[in-house]
Amino acid sequence: KLTQQVQGQWWYKRREVDVVAPTDGATLIAGEAKFTSTQLGYDVLADFEDDVEHIDWTPDGGGESTY
């Protein structure tokens, strides 16, 4: 479970998200860092979106998560 105080990386089993940071209590910022000079395909974005969906996070006060 991701708590409001956690900022940094997130990983679970074979899933990893390089940057996670809660903002105002209702939104979680998630990001991926790739060190390459070549273009990335949409498969990289799809994999990232899939990983983010597995983050166990609930906004302050409950409700739906926004990523």
Side-chain angles (χ1 to χ4, degrees), residues 9-18 31-32 48 51:
Q9 293 181 317
W10 171 87
W11 65 92
Y12 176 72
K13 296 186 179 180
R14 295 180 61 157
R15 302 182 180 282
E16 181 178 348
V17 176
D18 295 328
E32 185 83 359
F48 170 69
D51 288 344

Side-chain angles (χ1 to χ4, degrees), residues 16-27:
E16 181 178 348
V17 176
D18 295 328
V19 178
V20 291
T23 59
D24 61 4
T27 302

Side-chain angles (χ1 to χ4, degrees), residues 3-4 8-9 14 17 31 33 43 45 55:
T3 64
Q4 192 66 5
Q9 293 181 317
R14 295 180 61 157
V17 176
D43 59 319
L45 176 60
I55 297 175

Side-chain angles (χ1 to χ4, degrees), residues 15-67:
R15 302 182 180 282
E16 181 178 348
V17 176
D18 295 328
V19 178
V20 291
T23 59
D24 61 4
T27 302
L28 180 72
I29 295 174
E32 185 83 359
K34 299 291 185 195
F35 298 96
T36 181
S37 60
T38 60
Q39 254 185 340
L40 299 173
Y42 284 107
D43 59 319
V44 175
L45 176 60
D47 290 344
F48 170 69
E49 290 174 332
D50 185 53
D51 288 344
V52 168
E53 289 183 14
H54 287 86
I55 297 175
D56 183 13
W57 179 72
T58 304
D60 289 348
E64 290 294 314
S65 305
T66 303
Y67 301 95

